[in-house]
Amino acid sequence: MTETQFTPRVFSGIQPSGGLTLGNYLGAMKRFVDMQGPDFETIYCMVDLHAITVWQDPAALTHNTRELCAGFIAAGIDPEQSILFNQSQVPEHAQLAWIFNCVARMGWMQRMTQWKDKAGKNQQNASLGLFAYPALMAADILIYHATHVPVGEDQKQHLELTRDIAIKFNNDFGVDFFPITEPVIEGAATRVMSLRDGSKKMSKSDPSDMSRINMTDDADTIAKKIRKAKTDPDALPSEVDGLEDRPEARNLVNVYAALNDQTSDQVLAEVGGKQFGEFKPMLAELAVARLSPISTEMARLMGEEAEIDRILARGAEKARAIAAPILQQTYEIVGMVGAKQG
Ligand code: TYM
């Protein structure tokens, strides 16, 4: 599809819309940390422009952006090794998104399940930004010529659209300019489910706080939520086949596996035959052991606002150094007078 060799580069983003969950941690952040290293350049973004596609209280947005940055660092993202910044501070994202608004088709956007879910029955009253959201997401990725994008399962359709936009741009202009990005949706917990209903995704917007574990929950709260998590009366099976039609059991096993860097099969080889009365305390202990150091470090970093702001500003500078020349080349390809090769 593309002949050009692109630098192996990871990009991913999280919305600073408040309340990081265990789903965000296992499906995204923990995997972002795993991808840091010699194989990739890593770029991680607090996507504040995406967050405002639905109403955000300004003071809360400020707080949540800093808290998310603290979360990234506490989880193990090293701002020296990875580029860490907030989206609005790199204007090239929005500039490329406009070009992509002119490449993507209305029909493509209308098919997005997240648009349909979020806009609900009253699409006429949803913001234009919410509709165009996936074009901005494509711009986030392609403004860095990113080759790999680690995300949870729920972002798969958006990444397919990113590929479609890159392909159409390359075809329309007869170039081999944007990479066809690889989604990286891997591991035991690409879709962490609600603790109250194994058919629903764990989400910060669920009205029940008992449905999720928040990265800011204390040890007692984490243990209580796991103790009260919905399960079935059967013992755990010894193999994953035995989890079929048992969504709540499957979810808790997947969470255990992801927290412990194991596969679900490995976990079941150890805990098969146990009742939930025995397994839940094991899971609670593991979750507290893994999450408490992160929440403690997040709280400490939140006391150092100036340092967080400095890290974000420095990250934005480094991000712009990559994004600006790619935007200029895009403008040049499109035929805009004044654009010169960066
Ligand atoms: P957001 O902010 O909703 O979620 C951030 C990341 O967390 C993952 N995630 C989950 N993974 C497993 N189980 C869950 N229950 C769960 N809940 C959330 C998401 O899949 C995501 O990886 N549109 C994106 C943000 C974005 C982005 C990008 C991502 C904007 N531009 C460019 C990648 C590349 C979003 O709303 O994620």
Side-chain angles (χ1 to χ4, degrees):
M1 269 192 281
T2 160
E3 309 274 293
T4 311
Q5 284 297 316
F6 292 96
T7 308
R9 192 175 279 152
V10 169
F11 178 91
S12 200
I14 299 185
Q15 296 193 57
S17 43
L20 261 182
T21 70
L22 180 67
N24 296 132
Y25 175 63
L26 293 179
M29 229 173 221
K30 184 170 185 299
R31 297 173 48 240
F32 299 172
V33 175
D34 293 340
M35 291 187 93
Q36 281 188 137
D39 296 342
F40 295 106
E41 280 182 31
T42 42
I43 308 177
Y44 299 122
C45 183
M46 279 122 269
V47 290
D48 48 9
L49 296 175
H50 277 101
I52 61 162
T53 57
V54 297
W55 169 251
Q56 303 292 328
D57 172 75
L61 181 66
T62 306
H63 172 86
N64 291 335
T65 304
R66 290 187 179 129
E67 190 175 73
L68 179 54
C69 182
F72 270 108
I73 297 167
I77 299 296
D78 172 0
E80 292 304 317
Q81 201 179 348
S82 295
I83 299 179
L84 200 56
F85 70 105
N86 58 317
Q87 188 184 26
S88 59
Q89 300 311 298
V90 179
E92 287 79 5
H93 289 241
Q95 290 173 295
L96 184 62
W98 181 259
I99 305 273
F100 287 169
N101 281 342
C102 304
V103 172
R105 307 288 93 181
M106 295 283 283
W108 298 3
M109 300 299 183
Q110 261 153 355
R111 279 198 292 278
M112 293 294 112
T113 52
Q114 199 149 315
W115 153 251
K116 289 190 248 182
D117 290 349
K118 283 202 178 172
K121 292 201 177 71
N122 198 358
Q123 291 190 351
Q124 296 302 310
N125 201 33
S127 74
L128 188 54
L130 189 66
F131 188 66
Y133 180 114
L136 177 59
M137 187 162 156
D140 297 339
I141 296 165
L142 295 173
I143 196 67
Y144 301 102
H145 278 181
T147 53
H148 293 78
V149 183
V151 283
E153 179 73 41
D154 61 342
Q155 296 301 314
K156 191 166 181 234
Q157 197 186 26
H158 287 157
L159 293 189
E160 282 160 7
L161 190 113
T162 298
R163 291 163 69 97
D164 290 341
I165 289 178
I167 292 168
K168 187 169 185 323
F169 182 97
N170 288 348
N171 282 343
D172 285 353
F173 294 98
V175 290
D176 187 14
F177 184 63
F178 286 117
I180 313 305
T181 304
E182 281 301 322
V184 187
I185 304 175
E186 285 168 4
T190 55
R191 190 170 176 82
V192 178
M193 308 308 279
S194 156
L195 298 177
R196 310 301 298 164
D197 176 352
S199 68
K200 274 182 21 197
K201 191 182 73 166
M202 182 181 285
S203 158
K204 53 190 147 197
S205 54
D206 192 311
S208 164
D209 193 56
M210 291 300 284
S211 72
R212 64 180 158 262
I213 291 172
N214 304 301
M215 293 305 286
T216 47
D217 284 345
D218 60 28
D220 288 348
T221 309
I222 294 174
K224 184 174 90 188
K225 286 177 175 177
I226 292 177
R227 204 167 53 240
K228 298 216 162 173
K230 187 178 166 202
T231 45
D232 56 42
D234 297 336
L236 283 161
S238 306
E239 287 169 9
V240 280
D241 287 353
L243 292 172
E244 198 140 333
D245 300 325
R246 297 179 65 187
E248 285 85 12
R250 176 192 296 275
N251 188 40
L252 295 189
V253 170
N254 286 348
V255 166
Y256 190 101
L259 283 170
N260 217 23
D261 290 315
Q262 287 180 298
T263 64
S264 300
D265 266 317
Q266 287 169 330
V267 172
L268 289 176
E270 287 164 25
V271 303
K274 287 193 198 301
Q275 295 291 338
F276 281 102
E278 209 179 329
F279 179 62
K280 279 180 169 179
M282 287 171 66
L283 176 58
E285 196 186 325
L286 175 65
V288 168
R290 294 288 188 269
L291 302 181
S292 286
I294 300 178
S295 62
T296 307
E297 179 61 3
M298 265 173 90
R300 190 192 68 76
L301 286 164
M302 282 303 279
E304 296 186 8
E305 229 170 60
E307 175 65 3
I308 289 184
D309 291 359
R310 196 193 60 77
I311 288 169
L312 289 175
R314 175 82 188 106
E317 229 175 83
K318 291 194 272 181
R320 284 198 86 177
I322 304 174
I326 292 179
L327 182 73
Q328 286 312 312
Q329 289 170 53
T330 310
Y331 279 172
E332 207 177 4
I333 290 167
V334 173
M336 284 160 169
V337 172
K340 56 177 188 308
Q341 190 93 24

